[in-house]
Amino acid sequence: MTGYRNRILRVDLTNRTFSEDPIDGALIRDYIGGGGFGIKLLYDDLKPGTDPMGEDNDLIFVAGPLAGTSAQSFGRWKVFFKSPLTGGFFKSSGGGYFASELKFAGFDALIIKGIADRPVYLWVHEGSYELRDADYLWGLDCDDTHALIREELKDPAIRIACIGPGGERGVRYAGIFSDRRAAGRGGGGAVMGAKNLKAVALRGRQKVSLADAEAFKNAVKEQVGRYKKHPNFKHFSLTGTQNPEFTNVMGMFPTRNFREGILPNYESIDSSAYDKIRVRKTRCYNCMLHCGSLTKINTGKYMGSWSEGPEYETIWAFTGPILSTNIGLTVAADKMCDDLGLDTISTGVAVGFAYELYEKGIITKDETGGLELTYGNDEPVLTLIRQIAYREGLGDVLAEGTREAARRLGRGSEQFSMNVKGLEIPAYDPRGAKAHGLSMMTASLGADHGYGYAAQEIFGVPYKGRPVDRFATEDKGEMTKWNQDNRAIWNVGILCSFGAGYLDHELFGRLLASATGFRDFLDPQYLRLVGERIINLERMFNVREGFDRKDDVYPARLTNEPIPDGPAKGQVFESELLLEDYYRARGWDLETGIPTRSKLNELGLEFTLKR
Amino acid sequence: MKIESLYFGDLRNVTGLARETISIKEGAKLLDLIDRLSETYGKEFLSRLNLGNNHIILINGQNHEVLGGKEAVLREGDRIVFLPISMGG
């Protein structure tokens, strides 16, 4: 087989056994790869009610069919699991070189189950595999874990995905890290830690073979040409997403736990400020965008801090929620989260949640261990992040995620947990962009900004040839469906979001078909059907766990309180109206939000009906 | 009337400014402002602007295309942002 390695490795950590499976033909035909493989494998493997931190949860790593080839921007890897934060389906995505190395090592996916009796790491190399002792690594941060495994195995080119102290302690938004790239969200790190799995290390030299090398080469040449010709390529390449001004000028940069939409003095941390502290560009496997940045702080109390990043979400996470414009703190906090293995978004929102509770006297200085969580005060933040990672003091409560933290604290704190389905809301106020907000409200992961990013509302990309009013509520359901299905299509590649703007379904199909030999992939309609199927199966995974319309909901702050000032002044999120429009567009039951029988039949998902 | 014009990234390099207040005739349209800026800062301004590809324009935070495009009529105190598109494509 070409493109694919046609090998999935199953690992049972409890019994320390392995098995290899070829990929089922139907899996390729109906789900293509990447995100398609992830949801189908997870759905088939798991029973409803599985404990996310228990033996029976899966941790599934997937590399796409185009990973390890010369096609640009297909180097991302994805991890699939039942989330300890949301209790539902989760897929988390990371950059770097882990996916290509998995292909070179001989595999398309790793399905890891069980719990090891003591800390281990999985070593997969040149088609072989073993579990190795990780006692000596347990407790180490992510950078050190990488260094020591490479030393132990005497190979600096080994690629690794690991957890830090946060994952080891079951912080519910602990992530999985590979060369400072993060599959951050949803608690994959906690699942991995619960399995006593410190890391997965990979090394391989098997090149990915192609069905039609000539056609593939031509398709890649065309792709590269599009990157080079695009007028915005150079700019995005340079800055990545280090420009928090864009949501500020739209009045939807959430501040003080989603109360206002503009950070006072945001100009001091806009893209020009990041230009000054950027020291080097970084990149993922075979991606000419090299949109990553190494930043370093040279002055002030955070002098000497550096980070790969921070990207937009992280820039927001340590400024907006606490009303700080200290760029040094942002960089230092980004590095600390990378080192300790935490999702920056959920961490930032959790810190912001604590600041609001402190403001309202719901928690006091006694409970914060003397930390003064006052707006504009950056001093407590690094301490608080450490407390979260090590589950100390207030950090132990915040480590549960804001929804559970609020439940445990009580005292009226529940209304201040800004989450959907337990996942903390990221750096976009839904009141400022309705389709964008609708996607985050309905996504199976919870409030995920990438699930169906509304570029039409945020970056003025026309929809069906017409400009889109971000405040309007009409026709946003259909557009949201399109955005979500479209992202699911790219996810089979696995294509980085930032590469999506240079591709279309036709060229994508040619890349897939010439690599794998499956000519069905040439048809854009075929790809769209697969995309819609994936989204619906993710939905059905959650339905099986008890999710329905009641979970497609925002906190009252966003639906009842208008944004007080700025360009989005007066806006609320009209959830009932937008949700109904979305369910209609999706063909889901209006009352329950569950895909109808006829929709499931249409997508070949009848098997989800037997429950 | 007076309007405010904000620049980021490339256009900030071209204009040398983060923002400026501009006096322009009553009833002026967005394209009048663009013409004025093009005159003031030279060809470089338009070529870097590359509307739709490199930048979008916001009038008081709303995409100018929703407000009538370049024909949108400006009003006293309007804030015009020339916003770089920070995504590929």
Side-chain angles (χ1 to χ4, degrees):
Chain A
M1 208 184 270
T2 61
Y4 308 97
R5 286 262 87 110
N6 196 24
R7 268 161 108 202
I8 294 177
L9 179 66
R10 283 185 179 274
V11 184
D12 177 348
L13 293 174
T14 308
N15 298 308
R16 297 191 177 230
T17 56
F18 301 85
S19 69
E20 290 182 35
D21 297 329
I23 304 178
D24 188 75
L27 186 63
I28 293 177
R29 183 193 66 215
D30 297 335
Y31 295 92
I32 303 180
F37 282 7
I39 177 55
K40 185 60 162 66
L41 291 169
L42 196 70
Y43 186 94
D44 285 346
D45 249 24
L46 257 48
K47 291 193 182 48
T50 298
D51 174 11
M53 302 289 268
E55 256 201 310
D56 294 325
N57 197 7
D58 275 346
L59 194 63
I60 303 179
F61 289 83
V62 179
L66 295 176
T69 69
S70 56
Q72 297 293 301
S73 315
F74 283 96
R76 289 186 80 77
W77 47 285
K78 286 179 113 64
V79 205
F80 301 81
F81 49 92
K82 183 174 172 181
S83 167
L85 185 60
T86 68
F89 169 75
F90 216 90
K91 59 187 172 186
S92 194
S93 174
Y97 295 77
F98 192 79
S100 44
E101 204 68 30
L102 183 60
K103 297 289 282 293
F104 299 151
F107 298 92
D108 302 286
L110 309 168
I111 302 177
I112 304 171
K113 214 184 198 58
I115 293 179
D117 60 342
R118 53 187 317 106
V120 294
Y121 73 93
L122 174 65
W123 169 221
V124 179
H125 54 113
E126 309 293 3
S128 315
Y129 29 85
E130 63 183 286
L131 291 174
R132 294 180 68 82
D133 165 59
D135 262 330
Y136 83 100
L137 297 166
W138 201 257
L140 298 185
D141 73 26
C142 295
D143 261 5
D144 289 345
T145 302
H146 277 64
L148 291 188
I149 290 178
R150 284 167 171 151
E151 252 178 54
E152 179 197 337
L153 299 174
K154 299 183 173 46
D155 188 347
I158 289 171
R159 296 297 178 178
I160 294 156
C162 73
I163 58 173
E168 293 170 3
R169 283 162 183 72
V171 177
R172 291 192 187 262
Y173 39 93
I176 301 173
F177 291 75
S178 178
D179 287 319
R180 294 181 224 114
R181 300 301 299 253
R185 309 216 72 191
V191 173
M192 198 156 154
K195 293 185 175 310
N196 266 334
L197 180 64
K198 178 64 175 172
V200 176
L202 307 172
R203 189 68 170 103
R205 289 171 179 80
Q206 302 170 44
K207 284 171 87 134
V208 176
S209 52
L210 303 166
D212 183 344
E214 192 62 28
F216 187 77
K217 194 172 87 171
N218 289 334
V220 173
K221 196 163 164 203
E222 195 176 324
Q223 185 195 23
V224 169
R226 290 191 193 185
Y227 279 58
K228 287 184 176 167
K229 277 200 297 278
H230 199 286
N232 206 34
F233 167 69
K234 261 169 75 178
H235 176 255
F236 182 74
S237 224
L238 178 64
T239 67
T241 66
Q242 293 183 323
N243 31 34
E245 57 262 33
F246 76 103
T247 39
N248 272 285
V249 298
M250 298 206 297
M252 55 182 283
F253 182 91
T255 64
R256 296 199 314 152
N257 209 27
F258 291 81
R259 282 189 270 184
E260 301 90 24
I262 305 175
L263 178 68
N265 204 23
Y266 73 87
E267 298 90 340
S268 66
I269 59 159
D270 68 19
S271 49
S272 305
Y274 278 91
D275 284 345
K276 294 196 180 75
I277 62 170
R278 186 179 300 120
V279 298
R280 195 166 82 227
K281 298 298 309 181
T282 65
R283 52 175 283 212
C284 299
Y285 181 83
N286 268 355
C287 182
M288 53 199 280
L289 279 172
H290 54 72
C291 68
S293 295
L294 237 54
T295 57
K296 186 164 77 76
I297 302 296
N298 296 308
T299 57
K301 69 181 152 186
Y302 298 103
M303 182 169 74
S305 300
W306 67 276
S307 173
E308 177 157 348
E311 292 301 327
Y312 168 68
E313 284 291 335
T314 303
I315 291 173
W316 167 76
F318 300 110
T319 56
I322 62 170
L323 231 53
S324 165
T325 49
N326 191 317
I327 209 170
L329 169 70
T330 306
V331 172
D334 186 28
K335 186 64 163 64
M336 183 171 278
C337 286
D338 276 357
D339 286 344
L340 300 181
L342 301 176
D343 169 31
T344 52
I345 299 173
S346 286
T347 301
V349 177
V351 167
F353 168 71
Y355 270 58
E356 181 161 13
L357 297 190
Y358 190 88
E359 181 202 39
K360 294 184 155 58
I362 292 174
I363 57 175
T364 63
K365 217 165 155 183
D366 280 339
E367 286 163 285
T368 67
L371 297 176
E372 290 182 5
L373 310 185
T374 51
Y375 287 110
N377 185 15
D378 60 275
E379 291 282 344
V381 177
L382 294 184
T383 304
L384 205 39
I385 295 174
R386 285 196 80 83
Q387 285 180 351
I388 290 170
Y390 288 96
R391 283 189 171 275
E392 289 162 359
L394 181 62
D396 188 31
V397 177
L398 296 178
E400 292 296 311
T402 59
R403 181 173 64 172
E404 177 62 17
R407 203 188 61 76
R408 292 189 188 193
L409 289 168
R411 312 174 220 169
S413 65
E414 294 85 347
Q415 60 186 305
F416 303 120
S417 164
M418 302 307 289
N419 76 86
V420 176
K421 303 179 178 73
L423 187 69
E424 283 71 23
I425 304 170
Y428 300 85
D429 193 314
R431 295 170 289 186
K434 305 303 167 65
H436 199 62
L438 184 53
S439 181
M440 295 195 294
M441 191 174 78
T442 57
S444 289
L445 311 184
D448 179 83
H449 60 288
Y451 199 85
Y453 196 101
Q456 303 91 346
E457 293 179 336
I458 311 294
F459 292 112
V461 173
Y463 181 63
K464 294 185 175 172
R466 310 197 35 215
V468 171
D469 177 354
R470 61 187 169 102
F471 300 127
T473 53
E474 297 81 21
D475 302 326
K476 293 302 175 75
E478 194 203 307
M479 193 171 92
T480 301
K481 174 184 180 299
W482 167 260
N483 286 333
Q484 293 177 339
D485 290 352
N486 202 28
R487 178 90 288 271
I489 294 171
W490 303 132
N491 277 346
V492 304
I494 301 166
L495 177 68
C496 174
S497 287
F498 300 134
Y502 304 93
L503 264 194
D504 53 43
H505 295 161
E506 193 273 330
L507 181 54
F508 184 43
R510 272 192 280 137
L511 286 167
L512 285 171
S514 55
T516 66
F518 288 91
R519 300 194 57 76
D520 280 339
F521 302 162
L522 288 171
D523 178 7
Q525 276 304 109
Y526 188 99
L527 298 179
R528 284 167 207 153
L529 184 64
V530 171
E532 192 180 0
R533 177 179 297 131
I534 288 169
I535 296 295
N536 277 263
L537 184 55
E538 291 176 355
R539 184 82 176 177
M540 291 309 290
F541 182 103
N542 280 2
V543 165
R544 198 171 66 171
E545 300 288 348
F547 287 72
D548 59 25
R549 180 179 173 134
K550 68 173 167 359
D551 302 292
D552 292 337
V553 69
Y554 271 127
R557 169 164 288 167
L558 302 176
T559 55
N560 298 2
E561 292 172 29
I563 293 187
D565 216 342
K569 180 176 177 175
Q571 292 290 332
V572 292
F573 188 80
E574 301 92 337
S575 49
E576 296 293 301
L577 194 64
L578 288 160
L579 195 59
E580 231 171 77
D581 190 31
Y582 175 77
Y583 286 165
R584 271 182 223 284
R586 279 257 169 238
W588 295 352
D589 184 282
L590 293 181
E591 274 180 37
T592 63
I594 295 176
T596 59
R597 177 177 286 269
S598 80
K599 173 54 72 176
L600 293 171
N601 284 336
E602 180 196 323
L603 299 172
L605 296 176
E606 308 83 347
F607 62 88
T608 62
L609 289 167
K610 52 168 163 53
R611 279 183 252 152
Chain B
M1 62 175 177
K2 293 206 192 322
I3 58 114
E4 206 188 2
S5 199
L6 274 69
Y7 315 108
F8 296 95
D10 262 359
L11 287 182
R12 199 178 277 187
N13 294 336
V14 169
T15 62
L17 298 166
R19 59 176 68 203
E20 59 176 330
T21 303
I22 294 175
S23 291
I24 199 164
K25 66 179 196 289
E26 285 289 334
K29 299 178 181 173
L30 181 60
L31 61 88
D32 295 317
L33 173 65
I34 295 173
D35 283 345
R36 164 82 77 85
L37 294 173
S38 181
E39 262 176 54
T40 310
Y41 298 111
K43 283 194 318 225
E44 205 50 21
F45 184 87
L46 272 186
S47 72
R48 300 281 181 110
L49 175 63
N50 202 340
L51 207 48
N53 286 311
N54 291 52
H55 291 85
I56 56 174
I57 299 176
L58 302 178
I59 302 176
N60 301 325
Q62 177 63 284
N63 180 1
H64 80 287
E65 295 285 14
V66 172
L67 299 171
K70 292 196 207 145
E71 295 287 322
V73 175
L74 303 178
R75 279 184 266 269
E76 171 76 36
D78 274 355
R79 171 177 289 185
I80 318 300
V81 175
F82 294 88
L83 188 64
I85 295 175
S86 63
M87 277 181 82

